[in-house]
Structures are given as C-alpha cells and as structure tokens.
Amino acid sequence: MNPLEIIQTCYHPESRAYEILITHSRSVADKAVAIAETHPEMELDIPFIREAALLHDIGKAVDHEVEGSHAIIGRDLARKYGEAEEIVYAIGAHHGDQLPKSVLDVLVQSA
C-alpha cells in the first residue's frame, strides 16, 4: 500500500494533524534519502528508505487511544497494513524502543 494512502486511513487529508504529519514526515524522508545518497557504494534502496521515513510517525494517529509509545504503535499499524518487516522494524526503532539493527533503522532514526 502507498504510504500516503496508509496515512490517509489514519488522518483526514484536510485536517491540520494530517498537514503537520505530512510536512514532518516528508522532511524526515528527504533527510534520510539525502544521507543515503551520500553513500552510493552501499547501493541502498532509496524508495524503500523514503517509504519507511514517511511512515515513521504513523502511530501518533492512535497513541491517545492505545497504550504504548507511538513508535511501537506505529510498528504494529505498519504490520497490519502489510508493510515489509524491515519498514515495520525501522518504525519501531526510530525512538529507541527497539535497538536499530540495520542501515534503514539508523537512517530513519537519524533523520
């Protein structure tokens, strides 16, 4: 599923919360991609990095309804929407609730 479609299932596209999340998430995605692009020798999957970064804060949509940190809630939401396990893990690790174990995790956390 397209990351923006996932975000739109959790936020009304015309809401202020959606606007704030999209602005922030695009900024994080741009930074993560910029960092990745400085290392072409690593042959990183740029669209995959962008997708993980766009979704990193998806848990904020329901963190007031569900117990736990937004990173772990977001991890669970991403899994529910069928995201790749690497993206799921990166979302869960972006605030240190899980230890980063891949370059993707570090990029999303750092950006």
Side-chain angles (χ1 to χ4, degrees):
M1 185 178 238
N2 176 311
L4 295 179
E5 290 174 4
I6 293 172
I7 293 168
Q8 288 174 358
T9 65
C10 298
Y11 290 89
H12 189 280
E14 295 176 20
S15 71
R16 179 76 176 129
Y18 175 83
E19 180 183 328
I20 291 167
L21 179 76
I22 288 296
T23 300
H24 168 68
S25 296
R26 283 185 174 148
S27 174
V28 169
D30 290 345
K31 289 175 187 171
V33 166
I35 295 166
E37 287 176 339
T38 65
H39 296 284
E41 74 281 2
M42 296 181 76
E43 299 180 0
L44 299 169
D45 185 341
I46 300 301
F48 200 68
I49 292 165
R50 181 171 298 285
E51 185 170 349
L54 283 170
L55 290 172
H56 82 282
D57 270 348
I58 193 68
K60 288 185 176 184
V62 295
D63 67 353
H64 58 284
E65 300 170 6
V66 179
E67 183 99 15
S69 75
H70 77 272
I72 298 303
I73 295 165
R75 175 198 69 189
D76 296 343
L77 277 172
R79 186 173 286 130
K80 173 185 165 189
Y81 286 109
E83 286 298 312
E85 196 55 37
E86 295 90 344
I87 289 176
V88 168
Y89 195 90
I91 293 168
H94 85 272
H95 278 303
D97 294 287
Q98 302 173 163
L99 293 176
K101 62 180 186 179
S102 72
V103 173
L104 176 65
D105 302 344
V106 173
L107 285 170
V108 172
Q109 188 179 61
S110 299

